Amino acid sequence: MKRSFQLLTVLAASGLLLYACVKVPADVDFISSGANYTQTTFEPVLGRTSLLPQDPATNIFNADNSTSPLTFKIMNMRGVDGGSAEIFNKTFPVLVWKEAYTGLETTREEIEKKRTIEQHHLFEVREHSGQFVMWAPTDLQYLNAIKMQPDSGYKFDVEVSNSGGSKMIRNMALKPLRPQPYAPSSIDPVTGNANGYTYAYLVSGVKNYNDESYIGNSGVITVFYKDPNATGNSLTFEFRDSSYNPINPALFKHTKWEEVVHHFGQPKFTPEGVTYDVAYPIPLALRQTKYTNGTGDRAVATFSYDRVSNGALRVTAQVGTQFAIYQPGVWKIVFWFWKGNPDFRDN
């Protein structure tokens, strides 16, 4: 009996030792059932390359302690009404940066060496960040096949995975807005209808020629125009009086012409406007430079002059806009002083 007990004790100890030698993986990935997106509807404007969300530092995915890195993949893109979403299964040539844009480039060749053409789906998720990208194809005609608001758009799923498993996040929504080639724009992105005018962002110290009043922002309309028949990439700034007659840009004599917009070569002046050789889009990238506002999403163009008021006081006058142009081409921005003509005279 004693020997049997001893034998059982040895066997039990051996079993414990054998159990203790079994390796349990210490680095098994974990994917939480609570992992999810905090934003599930996306409304990009077609015709421009957009990161969603725009700020790369903004996180719209709650991993809920899931093990990194996670891998994201768009699945089952389909029309809300059951229609085709085949356009999103194809790839198209898009223009991408292979080196960082700085705003210090001095030639078009320097810009183009930093960009290249790649093939991408029009709507993609970044593989490990979970951010989305709506690409602008080099041939914008492809966008005609995409359903735009007020159509209800598309539904899609996102598979999130790591080596520990996967989770499907279902019924996310893509509701593209109509192309807006420039900003600010008065064109409604849903209906395509015009809603009034856009006005100059900055109007300061501009005296009315005909009286002692001063012209405010609402007295200067900004008009964007793309020549549909011209080839090339340029941007012209023009100024028009209340009768839409040209104002010579040379009258804006204190303008820092080299800093109006990122350009190449010398600006070309005529009595009707000043033209710059540029690369598009403007701004070229989401980066703050001396040509942009503080967030880098708008170019800033400012024109100025001064005049003596009441025989003693020198007044600086300014007019300008914060803008973006997303399509290449031969463009004009016109400042129309529709309420009254600016007074450039000393008095």
Side-chain angles (χ1 to χ4, degrees):
M1 183 72 179
K2 182 177 180 181
R3 292 182 64 184
S4 298
F5 177 77
Q6 289 175 338
L7 179 60
L8 289 172
T9 302
V10 170
L11 290 173
S14 299
L16 288 172
L17 180 62
L18 180 64
Y19 177 81
C21 291
V22 175
K23 289 188 176 181
V24 177
D27 297 324
V28 173
D29 282 351
F30 165 71
I31 188 159
S32 171
S33 61
N36 212 335
Y37 277 93
T38 58
Q39 177 182 343
T40 57
T41 299
F42 301 92
E43 300 179 292
V45 179
L46 295 180
R48 61 183 77 168
T49 294
S50 303
L51 180 66
L52 308 167
Q54 183 177 13
D55 184 356
T58 301
N59 182 21
I60 60 170
F61 184 76
N62 176 18
D64 194 34
N65 296 315
S66 299
T67 307
S68 296
L70 294 168
T71 299
F72 297 80
K73 185 178 180 181
I74 291 177
M75 308 287 286
N76 192 27
M77 180 72 76
R78 68 261 185 203
V80 170
D81 61 359
S84 172
E86 183 61 25
I87 186 71
F88 292 104
N89 295 326
K90 301 176 181 179
T91 60
F92 300 92
V94 302
L95 193 59
V96 301
W97 291 95
K98 59 181 180 178
E99 296 180 43
Y101 167 71
T102 66
L104 302 176
E105 296 83 359
T106 58
T107 66
R108 181 182 298 279
E109 291 72 23
E110 192 175 356
I111 290 291
E112 298 312 329
K113 283 181 180 179
K114 292 186 173 186
R115 302 198 288 189
T116 189
I117 298 292
E118 293 181 356
Q119 293 289 128
H120 284 272
H121 296 93
L122 294 181
F123 186 63
E124 294 181 335
V125 64
R126 288 190 164 176
E127 185 178 15
H128 296 303
S129 74
Q131 293 172 310
F132 297 94
V133 181
M134 175 62 80
W135 291 99
T138 54
D139 185 349
L140 297 175
Q141 295 299 316
Y142 292 126
L143 300 179
N144 294 332
I146 297 178
K147 299 174 182 178
M148 296 170 271
Q149 294 190 39
D151 191 284
S152 51
Y154 304 89
K155 292 287 186 181
F156 64 97
D157 308 325
V158 175
E159 180 188 71
V160 186
S161 64
N162 57 24
S163 63
S166 65
K167 176 182 179 178
M168 193 71 73
I169 300 173
R170 301 188 184 277
N171 293 320
M172 300 182 73
L174 175 65
K175 302 174 66 176
L177 294 165
R178 294 171 182 270
Q180 291 187 303
Y182 58 86
S185 174
S186 61
I187 304 301
D188 188 287
V190 174
T191 65
N193 298 327
N195 296 321
Y197 299 98
T198 61
Y199 299 99
Y201 177 82
L202 170 67
V203 181
S204 173
V206 179
K207 179 184 172 297
N208 195 317
Y209 186 92
N210 295 317
D211 55 41
E212 295 304 310
S213 66
Y214 281 80
I215 298 172
N217 297 66
S218 63
V220 183
I221 291 172
T222 53
V223 180
F224 289 76
Y225 172 75
K226 180 182 178 181
D227 188 335
N229 301 313
T231 59
N233 292 287
S234 65
L235 177 59
T236 298
F237 294 95
E238 293 184 354
F239 308 88
R240 301 280 175 159
D241 67 15
S242 58
S243 299
Y244 215 71
N245 297 313
I247 299 172
N248 194 323
L251 291 170
F252 295 85
K253 55 188 177 181
H254 287 295
T255 300
K256 296 180 180 179
W257 295 106
E258 289 300 317
E259 297 183 11
V260 167
V261 67
H262 192 176
H263 66 283
F264 316 111
Q266 296 298 314
K268 300 176 179 63
F269 290 86
T270 72
E272 293 195 1
V274 54
T275 299
Y276 292 88
D277 180 20
V278 298
Y280 287 102
I282 298 176
L284 276 161
L286 185 63
R287 182 188 181 100
Q288 182 183 3
T289 70
K290 65 180 178 180
Y291 307 106
T292 72
N293 61 9
T295 59
D297 66 338
R298 291 283 194 275
V300 177
T302 304
F303 308 88
S304 66
Y305 62 94
D306 63 11
R307 52 182 292 277
V308 174
S309 176
N310 298 321
L313 180 64
R314 185 166 294 277
V315 177
T316 297
Q318 293 181 308
V319 61
T321 186
Q322 293 194 16
F323 71 99
I325 299 177
Y326 301 99
Q327 294 181 4
V330 175
W331 284 87
K332 287 182 181 181
I333 299 178
V334 180
F335 294 89
W336 178 22
F337 293 84
W338 72 286
K339 274 192 173 181
N341 300 331
D343 190 354
F344 297 93
R345 305 168 299 176
D346 293 333
N347 67 355

